[in-house]
Amino acid sequence: AEIPLLSRFIKVVGIGESLVEEKIISLVEGQTNPTFATYAKDGIVTIRITAEDDKGQGEALLDRAEAQIKKILGDAVYTSSNEELEEVVMKLLKDKGMKIACAESCTGGQLA
């Protein structure tokens, strides 16, 4: 029977993909369960952790790997819930009763 796989996505901002890989290389090297993969897009690095859920241990493996990544990368990790950066920022502002205002000029709609 096939062993089910579970995945979790850790998102990082402010650190490039090569530096993220360098910082977590000790977790990545020689790992077979869980496995790690990094992807970069638009200034965000996503670390995908995939674990085999053999005997119901998958979530515990993901939790441990996530905790290790957060310890290594600190505040650069902004979510493990696969949220977009904008969503996280808006939640933080709302929770603190704050708003954001901006003005756009000569960006051709880039700010939007």
XYZ file of all heavy atoms in Angstrom:
840
model
N 0.840 -1.190 0.000
C 0.000 0.000 0.000
C 0.880 1.246 0.000
O 1.940 1.263 0.609
C -0.902 0.003 1.227
N 0.404 2.267 -0.700
C 1.146 3.526 -0.771
C 1.025 4.286 0.545
O -0.034 4.296 1.163
C 0.615 4.399 -1.902
C 1.048 3.933 -3.262
C 0.679 4.940 -4.338
O 0.712 6.153 -4.074
O 0.348 4.488 -5.446
N 2.102 4.912 0.939
C 2.104 5.737 2.149
C 1.670 7.141 1.752
O 2.242 7.738 0.843
C 3.505 5.766 2.788
C 3.910 4.354 3.212
C 3.534 6.716 3.966
C 5.343 4.228 3.672
N 0.652 7.704 2.424
C 0.201 9.060 2.078
C 1.268 10.101 2.400
O 2.068 9.929 3.321
C -1.049 9.268 2.934
C -1.120 8.136 3.884
C -0.140 7.100 3.484
N 1.255 11.190 1.638
C 2.186 12.299 1.838
C 1.430 13.516 2.365
O 0.312 13.789 1.939
C 2.879 12.667 0.526
C 3.759 11.600 -0.118
C 4.281 12.087 -1.461
C 4.910 11.227 0.794
N 2.067 14.251 3.258
C 1.541 15.515 3.760
C 2.556 16.597 3.446
O 3.764 16.363 3.517
C 1.334 15.449 5.286
C 0.405 14.366 5.819
C 0.432 14.375 7.350
C -1.004 14.597 5.317
N 2.075 17.787 3.108
C 2.978 18.898 2.821
C 2.572 20.126 3.607
O 1.398 20.316 3.933
C 2.981 19.240 1.330
O 3.594 18.224 0.584
N 3.562 20.956 3.898
C 3.332 22.242 4.546
C 4.228 23.252 3.841
O 5.327 22.927 3.403
C 3.700 22.150 6.029
C 3.304 23.395 6.799
C 3.415 23.192 8.289
N 2.561 22.096 8.741
C 2.665 21.546 9.947
N 3.570 21.973 10.795
N 1.862 20.565 10.300
N 3.734 24.491 3.752
C 4.462 25.538 3.042
C 4.833 26.644 4.022
O 3.954 27.236 4.653
C 3.607 26.095 1.900
C 3.267 25.053 0.878
C 2.132 24.263 1.015
C 4.098 24.835 -0.201
C 1.828 23.288 0.083
C 3.801 23.851 -1.141
C 2.669 23.076 -0.998
N 6.120 26.916 4.155
C 6.640 27.979 5.006
C 7.056 29.103 4.070
O 7.828 28.880 3.137
C 7.873 27.509 5.808
C 7.621 26.169 6.508
C 8.362 28.585 6.749
C 6.574 26.190 7.559
N 6.562 30.316 4.321
C 6.903 31.437 3.439
C 7.813 32.418 4.167
O 7.601 32.740 5.334
C 5.639 32.125 2.934
C 4.852 31.236 1.983
C 3.766 31.988 1.278
C 3.061 31.097 0.282
N 2.036 31.846 -0.440
N 8.810 32.892 3.412
C 9.883 33.719 3.943
C 10.015 34.982 3.102
O 9.900 34.926 1.879
C 11.219 32.924 3.905
C 12.371 33.752 4.397
C 11.092 31.622 4.680
N 10.265 36.115 3.753
C 10.476 37.368 3.042
C 11.740 38.039 3.594
O 12.078 37.871 4.761
C 9.241 38.303 3.167
C 9.046 38.787 4.587
C 9.326 39.465 2.196
N 12.435 38.753 2.726
C 13.615 39.501 3.157
C 14.918 38.736 3.068
O 15.975 39.268 3.392
N 14.867 37.493 2.658
C 16.065 36.666 2.479
C 15.928 35.980 1.128
O 14.889 35.386 0.836
C 16.197 35.586 3.574
C 16.220 36.185 4.974
C 17.452 34.751 3.352
C 16.254 35.144 6.080
N 16.973 36.015 0.311
C 16.944 35.376 -0.998
C 16.974 33.859 -0.910
O 17.347 33.285 0.120
N 16.571 33.213 -1.993
C 16.484 31.752 -2.016
C 17.820 31.077 -1.712
O 17.867 30.110 -0.940
C 15.959 31.279 -3.373
C 15.752 29.782 -3.443
C 15.215 29.306 -4.784
O 15.292 30.056 -5.780
O 14.718 28.174 -4.832
N 18.910 31.579 -2.278
C 20.199 30.926 -2.042
C 20.607 31.027 -0.577
O 21.163 30.073 -0.014
C 21.289 31.506 -2.950
O 21.453 32.887 -2.711
N 20.327 32.156 0.080
C 20.655 32.293 1.504
C 19.751 31.411 2.363
O 20.201 30.813 3.348
C 20.574 33.753 1.952
C 21.035 34.047 3.373
C 22.451 33.532 3.636
C 20.956 35.541 3.655
N 18.472 31.316 1.989
C 17.562 30.418 2.714
C 18.107 28.995 2.635
O 18.212 28.300 3.656
C 16.123 30.485 2.147
C 15.270 29.336 2.677
C 15.478 31.822 2.491
N 18.466 28.562 1.438
C 19.004 27.208 1.259
C 20.274 27.009 2.080
O 20.456 25.970 2.717
C 19.272 26.922 -0.215
C 18.011 26.721 -1.021
C 18.269 26.469 -2.490
O 19.424 26.622 -2.958
O 17.302 26.131 -3.193
N 21.144 28.015 2.081
C 22.387 27.928 2.846
C 22.099 27.778 4.348
O 22.735 26.986 5.033
C 23.218 29.192 2.592
C 24.572 29.204 3.248
C 25.312 30.494 2.937
O 25.355 30.891 1.754
O 25.831 31.108 3.889
N 21.128 28.540 4.836
C 20.809 28.511 6.259
C 20.149 27.201 6.702
O 20.338 26.776 7.834
C 19.916 29.698 6.628
C 20.652 31.021 6.640
C 19.695 32.150 7.000
C 20.429 33.439 7.216
N 20.957 33.590 8.568
N 19.362 26.567 5.818
C 18.667 25.339 6.216
C 19.328 24.075 5.668
O 18.773 22.978 5.806
C 17.170 25.371 5.827
C 16.969 25.349 4.316
C 16.456 26.541 6.483
C 15.531 25.091 3.879
N 20.521 24.209 5.112
C 21.180 23.065 4.476
C 21.366 21.903 5.441
O 21.278 20.737 5.049
C 22.524 23.466 3.809
C 23.011 22.361 2.862
C 23.572 23.797 4.848
C 22.185 22.216 1.634
N 21.576 22.185 6.719
C 21.756 21.094 7.684
C 20.487 20.255 7.814
O 20.552 19.063 8.118
C 22.168 21.643 9.049
O 21.143 22.462 9.582
N 19.328 20.860 7.580
C 18.070 20.108 7.610
C 17.871 19.317 6.328
O 17.293 18.230 6.334
C 16.877 21.061 7.779
C 16.821 21.931 9.013
C 15.619 22.865 8.951
C 16.783 21.085 10.267
N 18.329 19.886 5.226
C 18.071 19.330 3.899
C 18.979 18.143 3.593
O 18.522 17.122 3.074
C 18.240 20.418 2.819
C 18.096 19.841 1.426
C 17.251 21.548 3.044
N 20.256 18.268 3.933
C 21.225 17.227 3.584
C 20.897 15.911 4.269
O 20.708 15.851 5.478
C 22.643 17.667 3.961
C 23.209 18.677 3.009
C 24.644 19.044 3.323
O 25.066 18.891 4.482
O 25.333 19.497 2.401
N 20.804 14.877 3.482
C 20.602 13.541 4.013
C 19.194 13.233 4.480
O 18.937 12.145 4.981
N 18.269 14.174 4.337
C 16.898 13.941 4.785
C 16.124 13.144 3.739
O 16.198 13.432 2.554
C 16.173 15.266 5.035
C 16.672 16.005 6.244
C 16.327 15.297 7.544
O 15.334 14.607 7.654
N 17.168 15.469 8.533
N 15.394 12.171 4.205
C 14.508 11.430 3.317
C 13.055 11.562 3.768
O 12.147 11.407 2.975
C 14.893 9.939 3.257
O 14.881 9.408 4.583
C 16.267 9.759 2.638
N 12.841 11.838 5.046
C 11.490 12.035 5.565
C 11.586 12.900 6.814
O 11.999 12.406 7.854
C 10.811 10.715 5.902
C 9.336 10.885 6.186
O 8.682 11.771 5.656
N 8.803 10.022 7.036
N 11.263 14.171 6.701
C 10.658 14.854 5.568
C 11.696 15.299 4.539
O 12.894 15.262 4.804
C 9.992 16.078 6.216
C 10.874 16.396 7.381
C 11.371 15.053 7.879
N 11.193 15.754 3.396
C 12.046 16.349 2.377
C 11.704 17.836 2.271
O 10.628 18.267 2.676
C 11.842 15.677 1.005
O 10.474 15.819 0.613
C 12.229 14.211 1.048
N 12.644 18.615 1.741
C 12.504 20.059 1.645
C 12.755 20.502 0.212
O 13.621 19.949 -0.464
C 13.525 20.759 2.556
C 13.410 20.379 3.998
C 14.008 19.229 4.482
C 12.700 21.177 4.877
C 13.902 18.877 5.817
C 12.584 20.836 6.214
C 13.178 19.679 6.684
N 12.021 21.509 -0.224
C 12.251 22.115 -1.537
C 11.977 23.605 -1.402
O 11.064 24.007 -0.678
C 11.336 21.503 -2.584
N 12.787 24.429 -2.069
C 12.577 25.876 -2.022
C 12.181 26.384 -3.403
O 12.622 25.859 -4.422
C 13.840 26.626 -1.548
O 14.916 26.334 -2.432
C 14.222 26.236 -0.132
N 11.332 27.415 -3.375
C 10.868 28.068 -4.597
C 10.892 29.570 -4.337
O 10.513 30.010 -3.254
C 9.423 27.666 -4.930
C 9.198 26.180 -4.960
C 8.806 25.502 -3.817
C 9.379 25.453 -6.129
C 8.611 24.132 -3.824
C 9.180 24.084 -6.154
C 8.789 23.429 -4.996
O 8.591 22.079 -5.011
N 11.306 30.345 -5.323
C 11.324 31.799 -5.169
C 10.468 32.446 -6.237
O 10.477 32.032 -7.402
C 12.756 32.319 -5.268
N 9.703 33.480 -5.809
C 8.874 34.226 -6.747
C 8.524 35.563 -6.119
O 8.060 35.619 -4.975
C 7.591 33.445 -7.063
C 6.684 34.142 -8.052
C 5.442 33.320 -8.316
C 4.533 34.095 -9.246
N 3.243 33.455 -9.385
N 8.761 36.632 -6.851
C 8.365 37.978 -6.431
C 8.847 38.348 -5.031
O 8.088 38.896 -4.226
C 6.838 38.145 -6.520
C 6.311 37.960 -7.931
O 7.041 38.280 -8.885
O 5.165 37.504 -8.074
N 10.083 38.021 -4.704
C 10.650 38.399 -3.416
C 10.254 37.510 -2.253
O 10.617 37.774 -1.117
N 9.516 36.464 -2.524
C 9.072 35.526 -1.492
C 9.721 34.180 -1.751
O 9.747 33.698 -2.886
C 7.534 35.350 -1.515
C 6.813 36.687 -1.392
C 7.080 34.351 -0.459
C 7.055 37.441 -0.120
N 10.246 33.554 -0.702
C 10.772 32.196 -0.822
C 9.808 31.274 -0.091
O 9.449 31.520 1.061
C 12.193 32.072 -0.221
C 12.680 30.631 -0.294
C 13.163 33.002 -0.933
N 9.372 30.239 -0.768
C 8.496 29.238 -0.164
C 9.302 27.968 0.045
O 9.989 27.502 -0.867
C 7.282 28.935 -1.073
O 6.563 30.147 -1.293
C 6.370 27.898 -0.446
N 9.233 27.449 1.250
C 9.877 26.177 1.568
C 8.759 25.148 1.700
O 7.884 25.295 2.552
C 10.665 26.244 2.885
C 11.682 27.382 2.854
C 11.335 24.902 3.177
C 12.258 27.737 4.210
N 8.787 24.152 0.836
C 7.801 23.072 0.938
C 8.430 21.930 1.713
O 9.495 21.433 1.362
C 7.367 22.574 -0.430
C 6.217 21.546 -0.323
C 5.957 20.820 -1.617
N 7.084 19.909 -1.844
C 7.619 19.654 -3.035
N 7.152 20.227 -4.114
N 8.622 18.823 -3.161
N 7.745 21.529 2.780
C 8.174 20.378 3.564
C 7.176 19.265 3.260
O 5.973 19.465 3.377
C 8.137 20.663 5.072
C 8.832 21.977 5.414
C 8.751 19.506 5.852
C 8.522 22.463 6.810
N 7.662 18.110 2.864
C 6.798 16.978 2.567
C 7.232 15.798 3.417
O 8.413 15.455 3.467
C 6.852 16.610 1.076
O 6.458 17.755 0.310
C 5.931 15.445 0.757
N 6.248 15.205 4.102
C 6.535 14.067 4.974
C 5.628 12.900 4.632
O 4.462 13.082 4.288
C 6.333 14.465 6.439
N 6.185 11.703 4.752
C 5.380 10.501 4.625
C 4.576 10.351 5.912
O 5.112 10.515 7.007
C 6.263 9.273 4.417
C 6.995 9.272 3.100
C 7.894 8.060 2.930
O 8.045 7.260 3.884
O 8.465 7.928 1.839
N 3.304 10.058 5.774
C 2.435 9.916 6.948
C 2.351 8.450 7.371
O 1.280 7.902 7.595
C 1.048 10.495 6.657
C 0.236 10.691 7.929
O 0.841 10.858 9.006
O -0.997 10.666 7.844
N 3.521 7.834 7.467
C 3.605 6.439 7.868
C 3.240 6.318 9.348
O 3.826 6.990 10.202
C 5.020 5.917 7.610
C 5.129 4.418 7.769
O 4.109 3.730 7.581
O 6.227 3.950 8.087
N 2.265 5.527 9.664
C 1.820 5.287 11.039
C 1.357 6.560 11.730
O 1.542 6.751 12.933
C 2.923 4.607 11.847
C 3.347 3.268 11.277
C 4.495 2.665 12.035
C 4.952 1.391 11.322
N 6.242 0.937 11.779
N 0.814 7.512 10.946
C 0.268 8.731 11.532
C 1.310 9.693 12.083
O 0.982 10.579 12.873
N 2.553 9.581 11.652
C 3.633 10.429 12.161
C 3.894 11.669 11.312
O 4.728 12.497 11.666
C 4.930 9.613 12.269
C 4.846 8.479 13.264
C 4.615 8.994 14.671
O 5.292 9.897 15.125
N 3.638 8.434 15.359
N 3.186 11.828 10.197
C 3.456 12.912 9.258
C 3.330 14.299 9.859
O 4.210 15.142 9.676
N 2.248 14.565 10.582
C 2.045 15.904 11.176
C 3.148 16.231 12.172
O 3.632 17.361 12.227
C 0.671 16.013 11.844
C -0.483 16.140 10.872
C -0.481 17.426 10.060
O 0.085 18.454 10.491
O -1.064 17.405 8.957
N 3.557 15.257 12.975
C 4.627 15.482 13.956
C 5.943 15.802 13.253
O 6.694 16.684 13.690
C 4.787 14.266 14.863
N 6.219 15.120 12.143
C 7.432 15.401 11.373
C 7.384 16.813 10.797
O 8.388 17.540 10.822
C 7.605 14.379 10.248
C 7.963 12.958 10.679
C 7.822 11.997 9.510
C 9.369 12.921 11.256
N 6.214 17.212 10.271
C 6.059 18.565 9.726
C 6.209 19.608 10.826
O 6.872 20.632 10.630
C 4.703 18.713 9.035
C 4.477 17.900 7.766
C 3.057 18.101 7.252
C 5.490 18.246 6.695
N 5.599 19.374 11.980
C 5.699 20.313 13.106
C 7.145 20.519 13.523
O 7.595 21.647 13.743
C 4.894 19.819 14.313
C 3.388 19.883 14.114
O 2.928 20.579 13.169
O 2.675 19.228 14.900
N 7.895 19.425 13.639
C 9.300 19.504 14.055
C 10.132 20.260 13.022
O 10.931 21.131 13.378
C 9.859 18.102 14.271
C 11.201 18.090 14.958
C 11.611 16.711 15.376
N 10.487 15.803 15.192
C 10.572 14.521 14.901
N 11.703 13.942 14.808
N 9.522 13.768 14.712
N 9.922 19.948 11.746
C 10.669 20.631 10.682
C 10.320 22.115 10.644
O 11.207 22.958 10.497
C 10.381 19.969 9.326
N 9.036 22.444 10.793
C 8.619 23.850 10.806
C 9.275 24.597 11.965
O 9.781 25.706 11.790
C 7.099 23.946 10.917
C 6.596 25.375 10.981
C 5.091 25.480 11.138
O 4.365 24.506 10.837
O 4.638 26.561 11.546
N 9.289 24.005 13.142
C 9.907 24.642 14.312
C 11.399 24.883 14.081
O 11.926 25.941 14.440
C 9.690 23.786 15.558
N 12.073 23.924 13.462
C 13.503 24.076 13.178
C 13.733 25.221 12.190
O 14.652 26.025 12.370
C 14.085 22.777 12.636
C 14.145 21.675 13.663
C 14.566 20.348 13.058
O 14.012 19.905 12.037
N 15.532 19.703 13.675
N 12.909 25.288 11.145
C 13.047 26.352 10.152
C 12.799 27.714 10.792
O 13.540 28.667 10.569
C 12.105 26.115 8.955
C 12.627 24.946 8.124
C 11.960 27.372 8.093
C 11.682 24.453 7.056
N 11.762 27.813 11.622
C 11.462 29.082 12.288
C 12.592 29.499 13.224
O 12.913 30.681 13.333
C 10.140 28.991 13.051
C 8.931 29.019 12.137
C 7.637 28.928 12.931
C 6.433 29.096 12.032
N 5.169 28.978 12.789
N 13.211 28.538 13.886
C 14.331 28.846 14.770
C 15.526 29.380 13.969
O 16.183 30.330 14.370
C 14.739 27.598 15.555
C 15.831 27.845 16.558
C 16.133 26.602 17.375
C 17.221 26.907 18.379
N 17.620 25.726 19.137
N 15.765 28.785 12.819
C 16.898 29.193 11.979
C 16.639 30.533 11.294
O 17.506 31.402 11.270
C 17.201 28.102 10.924
C 17.727 26.837 11.599
C 18.205 28.616 9.890
C 17.768 25.617 10.696
N 15.443 30.726 10.734
C 15.162 31.905 9.917
C 14.477 33.043 10.678
O 14.383 34.154 10.164
C 14.312 31.510 8.702
C 14.969 30.511 7.746
C 14.031 30.148 6.618
C 16.288 31.046 7.214
N 13.988 32.775 11.872
C 13.421 33.818 12.724
C 12.280 34.585 12.093
O 11.381 34.011 11.473
N 12.345 35.918 12.243
C 11.266 36.793 11.783
C 11.098 36.844 10.271
O 10.127 37.410 9.788
C 11.491 38.221 12.297
C 11.277 38.330 13.793
O 10.594 37.449 14.365
O 11.785 39.284 14.392
N 12.023 36.268 9.527
C 11.869 36.238 8.068
C 10.708 35.331 7.666
O 10.123 35.501 6.608
C 13.163 35.775 7.402
N 10.350 34.375 8.530
C 9.196 33.509 8.274
C 7.947 34.306 8.614
O 7.791 34.781 9.725
C 9.242 32.223 9.131
C 7.953 31.421 8.972
C 10.446 31.380 8.771
N 7.051 34.455 7.643
C 5.839 35.224 7.931
C 4.580 34.380 7.948
O 3.541 34.820 8.435
C 5.683 36.425 6.993
C 5.345 36.107 5.558
C 4.031 35.940 5.159
C 6.350 35.990 4.612
C 3.715 35.658 3.844
C 6.047 35.706 3.301
C 4.731 35.543 2.920
O 4.423 35.262 1.615
N 4.639 33.155 7.463
C 3.461 32.282 7.569
C 3.838 30.835 7.304
O 4.791 30.547 6.592
C 2.336 32.701 6.593
O 1.152 31.953 6.885
C 2.706 32.481 5.153
N 3.054 29.957 7.902
C 3.118 28.535 7.550
C 1.710 28.065 7.196
O 1.433 26.879 7.167
C 3.694 27.718 8.706
O 2.917 27.893 9.873
N 0.839 29.036 6.937
C -0.551 28.741 6.581
C -0.815 28.982 5.103
O -1.966 29.115 4.695
C -1.497 29.618 7.407
O -1.291 29.402 8.770
N 0.251 29.125 4.326
C 0.159 29.349 2.879
C -0.604 30.631 2.533
O -1.252 30.713 1.503
C -0.448 28.141 2.162
C 0.039 28.035 0.731
O 1.090 28.570 0.381
N -0.710 27.365 -0.114
N -0.542 31.642 3.419
C -1.168 32.933 3.149
C -0.219 33.794 2.328
O 0.992 33.605 2.369
C -1.454 33.670 4.464
C -2.389 32.939 5.399
C -2.383 33.568 6.776
O -1.350 33.483 7.455
O -3.419 34.127 7.146
N -0.793 34.759 1.642
C 0.032 35.722 0.922
C 0.515 36.786 1.908
O -0.134 37.050 2.923
C -0.769 36.360 -0.216
C -1.207 35.374 -1.288
C -0.045 34.641 -1.952
O 1.038 35.240 -2.117
O -0.219 33.463 -2.303
N 1.642 37.418 1.592
C 2.217 38.438 2.461
C 1.223 39.559 2.743
O 1.097 40.027 3.879
C 3.507 38.999 1.845
C 4.254 40.059 2.655
C 4.666 39.514 4.020
C 5.480 40.540 1.891
N 0.484 39.961 1.710
C -0.482 41.045 1.878
C -1.549 40.683 2.907
O -1.965 41.520 3.712
C -1.166 41.372 0.535
C -0.221 41.859 -0.550
C 0.475 40.751 -1.336
O 0.331 39.553 -1.000
O 1.183 41.080 -2.291
N -1.982 39.428 2.900
C -2.986 38.980 3.872
C -2.452 39.061 5.295
O -3.152 39.500 6.213
C -3.397 37.528 3.590
C -4.147 37.298 2.301
C -4.367 35.821 2.067
O -3.475 35.168 1.481
O -5.432 35.327 2.480
N -1.214 38.640 5.482
C -0.601 38.645 6.814
C -0.446 40.077 7.315
O -0.772 40.389 8.464
C 0.754 37.908 6.800
C 1.474 38.039 8.130
C 0.553 36.438 6.443
N 0.026 40.971 6.444
C 0.193 42.377 6.827
C -1.146 42.991 7.201
O -1.274 43.665 8.232
C 0.875 43.184 5.695
C 0.824 44.680 5.977
C 2.315 42.724 5.512
N -2.175 42.752 6.393
C -3.489 43.323 6.689
C -4.049 42.790 8.006
O -4.644 43.538 8.783
C -4.472 43.063 5.541
C -4.131 43.843 4.273
S -3.917 45.628 4.514
C -5.551 46.104 5.002
N -3.868 41.507 8.292
C -4.324 40.937 9.565
C -3.627 41.607 10.741
O -4.256 41.933 11.751
C -4.044 39.436 9.612
C -5.175 38.585 9.146
C -4.874 37.137 9.482
C -5.412 36.255 8.399
N -5.023 34.875 8.524
N -2.314 41.784 10.616
C -1.547 42.420 11.699
C -2.025 43.852 11.931
O -2.193 44.276 13.079
C -0.047 42.407 11.373
C 0.649 41.051 11.451
C 2.062 41.150 10.883
C 0.682 40.545 12.881
N -2.220 44.594 10.851
C -2.707 45.965 10.979
C -4.090 45.995 11.621
O -4.344 46.780 12.538
C -2.747 46.652 9.614
C -1.397 46.989 8.983
C -1.588 47.435 7.540
C -0.661 48.039 9.785
N -4.970 45.130 11.163
C -6.338 45.087 11.698
C -6.334 44.719 13.180
O -7.034 45.341 13.975
C -7.167 44.083 10.899
C -8.639 44.121 11.221
C -9.414 43.195 10.296
C -10.900 43.274 10.623
N -11.680 42.397 9.763
N -5.537 43.734 13.546
C -5.446 43.313 14.951
C -4.971 44.440 15.865
O -5.330 44.493 17.033
C -4.502 42.113 15.103
C -5.079 40.831 14.525
O -6.283 40.796 14.199
O -4.304 39.857 14.389
N -4.152 45.334 15.313
C -3.623 46.451 16.100
C -4.457 47.716 15.939
O -4.096 48.771 16.456
C -2.170 46.717 15.712
C -1.252 45.570 16.078
C 0.164 45.835 15.611
C 1.049 44.654 15.893
N 1.771 44.736 17.115
N -5.587 47.611 15.194
C -6.455 48.767 14.977
C -5.802 49.830 14.117
O -6.122 51.014 14.223
N -4.900 49.409 13.239
C -4.173 50.354 12.394
C -4.661 50.252 10.950
O -5.274 49.268 10.560
C -2.674 50.064 12.463
C -2.099 50.179 13.871
S -0.378 49.628 13.963
C 0.431 51.046 13.245
N -4.366 51.295 10.187
C -4.696 51.322 8.762
C -3.447 51.688 7.991
O -2.486 52.208 8.544
C -5.789 52.353 8.493
C -7.092 52.016 9.169
C -8.139 53.057 8.879
C -9.432 52.663 9.601
N -10.498 53.589 9.329
N -3.507 51.434 6.703
C -2.395 51.812 5.840
C -2.943 52.727 4.746
O -4.055 52.524 4.255
C -1.690 50.572 5.236
C -0.425 50.976 4.514
C -2.619 49.804 4.336
C 0.454 49.798 4.141
N -2.193 53.742 4.435
C -2.563 54.664 3.361
C -1.335 54.858 2.477
O -0.203 54.817 2.942
C -3.015 56.005 3.931
N -1.573 55.038 1.190
C -0.477 55.268 0.285
C -0.961 56.093 -0.892
O -2.150 56.216 -1.144
C 0.128 53.942 -0.182
S -1.067 52.838 -0.900
N -0.022 56.644 -1.588
C -0.327 57.417 -2.797
C 0.522 56.855 -3.919
O 1.676 56.478 -3.715
C -0.019 58.882 -2.576
N -0.059 56.768 -5.078
C 0.641 56.196 -6.214
C 0.916 57.304 -7.233
O 0.068 58.125 -7.504
C -0.225 55.115 -6.847
C 0.396 54.512 -8.081
C -0.525 53.498 -8.740
O -1.707 53.406 -8.381
O -0.033 52.792 -9.622
N 2.135 57.284 -7.747
C 2.489 58.259 -8.769
C 3.553 57.636 -9.679
O 4.579 57.184 -9.202
C 3.024 59.540 -8.124
O 3.400 60.457 -9.123
N 3.267 57.596 -10.934
C 4.232 57.153 -11.936
C 4.650 55.679 -11.784
O 5.774 55.317 -12.095
C 5.474 58.034 -11.918
S 5.117 59.765 -12.197
N 3.761 54.845 -11.265
C 4.118 53.424 -11.158
C 3.346 52.581 -12.159
O 3.528 51.371 -12.195
C 3.828 52.880 -9.740
O 2.427 52.889 -9.505
C 4.562 53.670 -8.681
N 2.470 53.185 -12.915
C 1.693 52.443 -13.902
C 0.806 51.364 -13.264
O 0.600 50.315 -13.838
N 0.343 51.630 -12.063
C -0.543 50.687 -11.382
C 0.178 49.627 -10.573
O -0.439 48.722 -10.032
N 1.506 49.708 -10.488
C 2.284 48.699 -9.778
C 1.911 48.601 -8.286
O 1.948 47.533 -7.703
C 3.767 48.963 -9.915
C 4.308 48.755 -11.309
C 4.229 47.292 -11.712
O 4.505 46.410 -10.923
N 3.839 47.047 -12.949
N 1.572 49.721 -7.684
C 1.235 49.711 -6.270
C -0.032 48.912 -6.018
O -0.128 48.170 -5.052
C 1.059 51.137 -5.746
C 0.775 51.264 -4.261
C 1.946 50.733 -3.457
C 0.516 52.706 -3.896
N -0.981 49.024 -6.909
C -2.244 48.305 -6.745
C -1.997 46.825 -6.785
O -2.632 46.052 -6.143
C -3.231 48.713 -7.832
